């Protein structure tokens, strides 16, 4: 029986959810309202869930990851989206699998709502199914499952062996324990024998923003970064370690009338896979630990780079960027999480632990960002965060 305290808590959470969604206005349909409503819905679920049941649910939740990853291996989601209704036998034949294992895996998939059960051994699709067969989604599933799951499993023993210290050495963390190496993850992924893993990682990095809007759609780029003088002989924007150039393309598409040169910098093998860039983008290889980016640019942009490293390595990278910046002209734009000191969104807290297990690194709070940039000799011009999960933009200068 539900207690009086639980009933009141559930009613309060339900009322907050109704309040978030009841107003019929443009502001009520904003991203901020969606986030608030989602938080209220989660609070309502938690108020009704017994701790014993909730813990069992979490204890068995890795099976959903296993089912999804296996279905990606077998191309199941791609098979399902080919038509409205597909039988387990059809999926098994096309996937080259046992029908029984298809039924068992899809029992979990449909229970979580990632596909639709339409009868005994019959399956349909929904928006989740379509999302699961997306190339970027499958890159994320492959990269995260194949690398983080072993590292997460190894983390408790690594902590015990290392006196429950915060990992800061990229050569000694849960990832290295899980994979029996003393090589940092990105160097390990770049080994020739890990080509498929490397490709999955770069595909994931193309889509790791999820459904969050690109920074160029909400940040006042024109006023904050492009209002002063622009040297048309120098690069307008250098995307440092920008992967296949997806963020650079969004900037160019958002500001097609802005004159300037664009440079994409990353490891040569990453640049070789960036095949859909316009002629305006110059590709230049860089090892940002040992080299400085192209000099004299108006904007140096780094997305999800510094969170991959503890402070010593992050300072090393920053000092190389600083050596390329022009005082009074250049800006460094950091696109990353800015964690609050209290009330941290769950996804941001989870992302922080992912950085811990894979990179021996961290997401940073505002005070930690300020300390890092102060140590590097950089001045913060502004911190900007739209409603959402805690990601934001930090603009710094010499």
């Amino acid at each position: 029986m539900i207690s009086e305290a639980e009933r009141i808590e559930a009613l309060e959470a339900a009322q907050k959810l109704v309040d978030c969604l009841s107003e019929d206005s443009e502001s009520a349909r904003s991203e901020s309202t969606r986030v608030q409503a989602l938080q209220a819905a989660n609070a309502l679920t938690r108020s009704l869930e017994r701790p014993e049941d909730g813990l069992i649910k979490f204890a068995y939740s890795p099976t959903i990851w296993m089912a999804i990853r296996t279905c990606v291996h077998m191309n199941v989601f791609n098979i399902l989206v080919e038509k409205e209704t597909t039988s387990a036998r059809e999926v098994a034949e096309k996937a080259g699998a046992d029908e029984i294992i298809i039924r068992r895996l899809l029992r979990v998939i449909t229970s979580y709502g990632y596909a639709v059960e339409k009868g005994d051994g019959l399956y349909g699709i929904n928006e989740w199914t379509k999302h699961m067969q997306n190339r970027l989604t499958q890159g994320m599933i492959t990269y995260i499952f194949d690398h983080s799951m072993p590292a997460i499993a190894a983390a408790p023993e690594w902590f015990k062996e290392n006196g429950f210290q915060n990992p800061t050495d990229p050569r000694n963390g849960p990832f290295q324990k899980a994979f029996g190496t003393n090589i940092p993850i990105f160097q390990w992924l770049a080994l020739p024998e890990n080509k498929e893993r490397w490709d999955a990682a770069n595909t994931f990095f193309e889509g790791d923003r999820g459904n969050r809007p690109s920074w160029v759609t909400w940040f006042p780029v024109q006023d904050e970064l492009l209002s002063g003088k622009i040297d048309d002989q120098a690069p307008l924007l250098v995307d440092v370690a920008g992967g296949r150039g997806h963020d650079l393309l969004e900037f160019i598409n958002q500001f097609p009338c802005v004159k300037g040169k664009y440079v994409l910098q990353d490891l040569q093998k990453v640049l070789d896979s960036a095949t859909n860039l316009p002629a305006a983008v110059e590709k230049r290889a860089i090892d940002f630990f040992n080299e400085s980016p192209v000099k004299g640019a108006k904007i140096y942009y780094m997305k999800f780079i510094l969170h991959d490293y503890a402070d010593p390595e992050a300072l090393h990278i920053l000092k190389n960027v600083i050596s390329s910046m022009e005082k009074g002209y250049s800006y460094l734009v950091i696109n990353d999480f800015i964690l609050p000191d209290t009330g941290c969104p769950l996804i941001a807290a989870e992302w922080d632990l992912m950085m811990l297990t894979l990179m021996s690194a961290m997401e940073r709070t505002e005070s930690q960002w300020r300390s890092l940039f102060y140590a590097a000799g950089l001045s913060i011009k502004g911190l900007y965060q739209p409603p959402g999960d805690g990601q934001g933009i930090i603009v710094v200068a010499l």
Side-chain angles (χ1 to χ4, degrees):
M1 176 181 288
I2 186 170
S3 70
E4 182 64 15
E6 289 171 329
R7 186 182 73 85
I8 292 173
E9 183 182 358
L11 283 171
E12 289 175 347
Q15 185 60 56
K16 186 172 183 180
L17 177 58
V18 170
D19 291 343
C20 286
L21 297 175
S22 60
E23 185 181 348
D24 187 17
S25 65
E26 184 176 346
S27 63
R29 294 186 293 274
S30 68
E31 177 65 8
S32 177
T33 299
R34 187 192 70 83
V35 171
Q36 291 174 13
L38 186 58
Q39 291 171 344
N42 288 333
L44 177 58
T45 300
R46 286 194 299 272
S47 69
L48 294 172
E49 191 170 52
R50 299 293 188 189
E52 311 87 75
D53 299 333
L55 189 58
I56 289 174
K57 181 182 73 175
F58 281 119
Y60 287 94
S61 63
T63 60
I64 180 62
W65 252 120
M66 180 273 288
I68 291 171
R69 179 66 181 98
T70 306
C71 285
V72 169
H73 263 312
M74 296 188 296
N75 217 31
V76 168
F77 296 110
N78 300 65
I79 294 169
L80 289 177
V81 299
E82 290 176 358
K83 57 182 185 177
E84 289 298 316
T85 303
T86 310
S87 70
R89 178 175 296 180
E90 290 177 277
V91 176
E93 288 176 352
K94 291 184 177 182
D98 181 1
E99 182 181 340
I100 295 176
I101 196 61
I102 293 296
R103 284 174 173 263
R104 295 179 73 183
L105 293 170
L106 288 179
R107 186 181 296 148
V108 174
I109 298 293
T110 55
S111 293
Y112 270 82
Y114 297 157
V116 179
E117 193 171 49
K118 303 183 78 172
D120 182 11
L122 296 175
Y123 307 98
I125 62 173
N126 57 21
E127 290 305 307
W128 278 96
T129 323
K130 296 174 185 177
H131 182 68
M132 291 293 190
Q133 60 90 43
N134 179 277
R135 178 183 69 89
L136 300 182
T137 302
Q138 295 194 358
M140 181 272 289
I141 292 167
T142 302
Y143 174 70
I144 295 297
F145 186 93
D146 292 3
H147 304 103
S148 71
M149 292 295 278
I152 289 169
E157 189 63 25
W158 184 91
F159 282 122
K160 183 179 178 181
E161 292 173 355
N162 291 272
F164 300 98
Q165 299 298 302
N166 184 53
T168 58
D169 183 352
R171 297 177 178 274
N172 178 24
F175 175 86
Q176 283 69 32
K177 180 175 179 59
F179 288 91
T181 182
N182 62 356
I183 304 175
I185 182 172
F186 287 132
Q187 294 178 26
W188 183 84
L189 286 169
L191 295 174
E193 60 266 32
N194 292 328
K195 183 182 183 306
E196 289 187 9
R197 295 176 181 270
W198 178 259
D199 289 342
N202 281 287
T203 300
F204 165 52
F205 298 149
E206 284 185 66
D208 61 2
R209 191 178 70 239
N211 195 44
R212 294 175 297 275
S214 169
W215 74 286
V216 297
T217 64
W218 61 265
F219 179 81
V221 174
Q222 191 70 50
D223 293 339
E224 297 294 330
L225 303 176
L226 302 178
S227 59
K229 66 171 184 175
I230 301 291
D231 181 358
D232 57 9
Q233 298 303 308
L236 176 66
L237 189 150
V238 177
D239 194 348
V240 184
R244 292 170 179 163
H246 40 284
D247 290 290
L248 188 54
L249 278 175
E250 288 178 338
F251 186 95
I252 294 171
N253 291 335
Q254 186 72 13
F255 302 101
C257 297
V258 176
K259 303 291 185 182
K261 301 176 181 178
Y262 298 93
V263 179
L264 174 65
Q265 293 202 279
D266 211 309
L267 298 174
Q268 186 61 54
K269 65 186 306 182
V270 178
L271 297 178
D272 290 342
S273 67
T275 57
N276 296 313
L277 297 175
V281 177
E282 179 185 357
K283 296 191 289 187
R284 289 198 192 183
I286 188 175
D287 174 356
F288 55 38
F289 279 112
N290 298 308
E291 302 170 85
S292 301
V294 177
K295 295 186 180 297
K298 181 68 174 178
I299 303 168
Y300 293 90
Y301 176 76
M302 301 179 77
K303 176 188 172 186
F304 285 167
I305 303 302
L306 296 180
H307 78 165
D308 289 340
Y309 302 98
D311 284 359
E313 289 77 22
L315 281 170
H316 190 148
I317 295 167
L318 284 172
K319 287 179 179 178
N320 280 341
V321 176
I322 287 170
S323 68
S324 294
M325 296 173 68
E326 182 181 329
K327 189 170 184 178
Y329 179 74
S330 300
Y331 292 106
L332 170 60
V333 176
I334 305 295
N335 190 342
D336 220 317
F337 281 103
I338 307 170
L339 303 187
D341 291 318
T342 61
C344 184
L346 177 60
I347 185 61
E350 291 175 331
W351 210 301
D352 176 49
L353 292 188
M354 192 70 75
M355 296 300 101
L356 182 155
T357 54
L358 292 178
M359 319 284 186
S360 295
M362 66 192 301
E363 303 296 349
R364 292 176 172 87
T365 64
E366 178 178 336
S367 60
Q368 288 170 327
W369 280 118
R370 289 187 181 280
S371 295
L372 178 67
F373 292 129
Y374 179 81
L378 289 163
S379 173
I380 294 180
K381 299 302 180 184
L383 296 95
Y384 308 80
Q385 281 183 285
D389 58 13
Q391 291 187 39
I393 289 291
I394 308 173
V395 179
V396 298
L398 295 177

